[in-house]
Amino acid sequence: MLHEDRHEHHHEEEEGEGRGRIVKVIVAILLLIAASVIERKTDWQDWQYLLLFIVPYLVVGWETLKEAAEGLVHGEALNEDFLMSVATIGALAIGFMPGAETQFAEAVFVMLFFQVGEMFEEVAEGRSRKSIEHLMDIRPDIAHVERDGELLTVSPETVKTGEIIVIRPGEKVPMDGIVTEGTSSLDTVALTGESVPRSINNGDEILSGCVNLNGLIKVCTTKAFAESTVSKILDLVENAASSKSRSESFITRFARIYTPIVVGLAVFVAVIPGLITGEWATWIYRGLLFLVVSCPCALVISVPLTFFGGLGGASRKGILIKGSNVIDKLAGVKTVVFDKTGTLTEGVFEVTAVHPQVIDKNELLHLAAHVERHSTHPIAMALRNAYPDEQDDCVISDVEETAGHGVLAYVNGKRVVVGNIKLMEKVGAECRPCHHEGTIIHVAIDGEYAGHIVISDRIKEDSAQAVADLKSVSINKTVMLTGDQEAVAAAVASRLKVDEYHAQLLPADKVSMVEELLPEGVLAFVGDGINDAPVLTRADIGIAMGALGSDAAIEAADVVLMDDKPSKIALAIQIARRTIRIAKQNIWFAIGIKVLVLLLAIPGLATMWMAVFADVGVTVLAVLNAIRTQ
């Protein structure tokens, strides 16, 4: 509850500041109109008009003057508040110079327009922040845990792995676990961006961050809170803004160099020609124009806001992008490489055929399931599911698993080998070919071939659409990598229409294949398993399946798809390209307008109104353009 209270208090403060700024702007506009009417209808002295206009100026500009003074004290003079303060104070003072016209109304309007620009910036930042903060709402504040026959309400951080928690209708799921009792529907929109509720039953896995909609359920926790899905997502979101894109880094460096140079030019324009011509009022006025135009706030505000909006817009679609620098690379992707199992396919294997050679079907399944009983590979799980009864007198010993090949063990003293063709060749067993579509698991007993088992995996509904969408966004090449047999890989590749596929690969082979493809352009690798982590790290962009993917894959990836839908990859690339395009538009527009007005200011063709537009007006337009990324 403390988290929510702080969150609400923070928003209340922001809303209060926003309302206060609006009131100040409205009051200043009314006072400025009144002062302008009085100025036209009276014949006062300049100092009297100054007192008249100083009231709306202080109403709307007091905070800016205060920030400028604090910047001077802390050695940060060249900020936008200081430049705006000097320019407007100079405009107020210039009317008292010989031969100069008063600029009282212009000075007030510059400060007024500056505050209007600040309002637009706050609104845009608020929208961008909300697009990210909707994910922060998934953080659960409490957990109901059963301990010693009592139901206690505690902080999720104090719940241990293996404890039973109770989740009531309407409550957030605090920790990852397995449902042990009850049925319900889950609202997963905060995690996946999908609005359709997902049914949950006894024995199903449940992820933290979802909302339990209608039934009371009990869950056995499988991860500590710090390792749960919700904690990992919050960590990703909170750290996403810390990695700057190339554009943001450029703007930061540009502003550090650009602002002092333009301020120096403003001083030069105000002093040197004045010394030569004696027309101090004219040249000081032009120097003030330089100061107003020189504020780089259109760039400093709009470009980071653009990337922040892009991150937020992607998160609302169930796509977590780990930082602005990832958007840069994602926009330039030319090659997309997929792992097959769990990425393009469901990763849910089932036995579809059993072809025994020297023993019956049941015995073949029996031996294969026993040998694979300790493996966590999806194929091993399919074999165990096909022969779930392990309560017999069999003695299994000396289990040895070879990554990418299979498992061998002794069952009642017989050496049983379960794996692919390479493993059969290694033990000297002669395989028989199989024309069924699927993964072929061969079995040998004491070196003699005993038969094979066909295991199939379902292709995801949107995999074909994912490949088609990637081609529609001008991806040069799509590639599928798999450890499956050539026939299985060929069948899946044909149905999905990928440009290229490579079969019978070990995890190290996948890394090698990616390294071969890297010179062809920015490469994104899409995977989900723990053995994909090295490839995800090696690729230019790693994209992981977040809902069912392994923790190692999610941590190694740059982009996480929370609903495991490969069709989101093309959408992520489109969001990244749109974000980069809008950022470049803002950069060129802001620099172009500022350079134009600066050039016009030197011969005296620019006015204070033009300078205001070049600063605040351009900022407002750039901020409005940046909002489009959301």
Side-chain angles (χ1 to χ4, degrees), residues 205-219:
E205 182 182 5
I206 189 169
L207 300 179
S208 55
C210 302
V211 177
N212 182 25
L213 293 178
N214 45 39
L216 186 145
I217 54 177
K218 292 186 177 182
V219 174

Side-chain angles (χ1 to χ4, degrees), residues 267-277 280:
V267 174
F268 180 86
V269 169
V271 175
I272 303 302
L275 289 172
I276 297 172
T277 64
W280 287 102

Side-chain angles (χ1 to χ4, degrees), residues 186-377:
L186 297 180
D187 179 356
T188 64
V189 66
L191 289 181
T192 67
E194 297 295 325
S195 58
V196 179
R198 182 166 69 91
S199 297
I200 196 84
N201 300 295
N202 189 22
D204 289 343
E205 182 182 5
I206 189 169
L207 300 179
S208 55
C210 302
V211 177
N212 182 25
L213 293 178
N214 45 39
L216 186 145
I217 54 177
K218 292 186 177 182
V219 174
C220 178
T221 60
T222 56
K223 294 180 183 176
F225 180 75
E227 298 299 320
S228 64
T229 300
V230 66
S231 295
K232 290 183 180 297
I233 291 173
L234 292 176
D235 184 59
L236 293 179
V237 172
E238 289 169 353
N239 293 326
S242 62
S243 301
K244 287 189 175 183
S245 67
R246 288 195 301 267
S247 299
E248 290 176 290
S249 299
F250 163 74
I251 292 304
T252 302
R253 295 193 302 269
F254 176 82
R256 289 173 182 168
I257 300 171
Y258 161 84
T259 305
I261 289 176
V262 177
V263 170
L265 287 173
V267 174
F268 180 86
V269 169
V271 175
I272 303 302
L275 289 172
I276 297 172
T277 64
E279 298 176 356
W280 287 102
T282 298
W283 289 103
I284 289 176
Y285 180 73
R286 294 178 186 177
L288 293 175
L289 294 182
F290 255 72
L291 282 180
V292 174
V293 177
S294 70
C295 287
C297 46
L299 298 172
V300 174
I301 293 170
S302 69
V303 173
L305 193 62
T306 301
F307 282 91
F308 197 55
L311 293 172
S315 71
R316 285 206 308 274
K317 301 292 186 180
I319 304 167
L320 295 186
I321 301 176
K322 297 182 182 179
S324 301
N325 58 331
V326 177
I327 289 181
D328 267 328
K329 291 190 288 185
L330 191 59
V333 168
K334 296 298 180 184
T335 303
V336 177
V337 180
F338 295 94
D339 172 56
K340 182 183 78 70
T341 305
T343 302
L344 293 174
T345 63
E346 296 285 355
V348 179
F349 290 89
E350 55 188 21
V351 173
T352 56
V354 181
H355 298 154
Q357 184 74 20
V358 296
I359 54 177
D360 63 29
K361 290 183 179 181
N362 195 55
E363 184 65 16
L364 190 67
L365 272 176
H366 171 211
L367 290 174
H370 272 316
V371 171
E372 297 273 10
R373 67 159 53 173
H374 297 297
S375 175
T376 58
H377 194 282

Side-chain angles (χ1 to χ4, degrees), residues 349-354 361-362 364-366 368-369 378-390 453-455:
F349 290 89
E350 55 188 21
V351 173
T352 56
V354 181
K361 290 183 179 181
N362 195 55
L364 190 67
L365 272 176
H366 171 211
I379 287 177
M381 295 177 64
L383 290 170
R384 293 199 301 273
N385 290 336
Y387 192 88
D389 185 12
E390 296 185 14
I453 301 166
V454 182
I455 296 177

Side-chain angles (χ1 to χ4, degrees), residues 564-575:
D564 282 0
K565 289 187 176 180
S567 56
K568 291 286 182 71
I569 301 167
L571 178 60
I573 292 172
Q574 287 177 310
I575 291 173

Side-chain angles (χ1 to χ4, degrees), residues 79-92:
N79 58 37
E80 59 187 33
D81 295 302
F82 175 78
L83 297 178
M84 199 58 62
S85 298
V86 171
T88 51
I89 291 172
L92 290 171

Side-chain angles (χ1 to χ4, degrees), residues 39 46 49-50 53-54 57 83-97 100-111 281 284-289 291-292 607-609 611-612:
E39 183 183 32
D46 288 346
Y49 288 122
L50 175 63
F53 281 96
I54 202 73
Y57 176 80
L83 297 178
M84 199 58 62
S85 298
V86 171
T88 51
I89 291 172
L92 290 171
I94 201 170
F96 293 96
M97 300 186 70
E101 295 182 1
T102 59
Q103 304 286 338
F104 301 148
E106 286 86 342
V108 177
F109 188 80
V110 168
M111 189 61 77
I284 289 176
Y285 180 73
R286 294 178 186 177
L288 293 175
L289 294 182
L291 282 180
V292 174
T607 64
M608 184 63 77
W609 305 104
V612 169

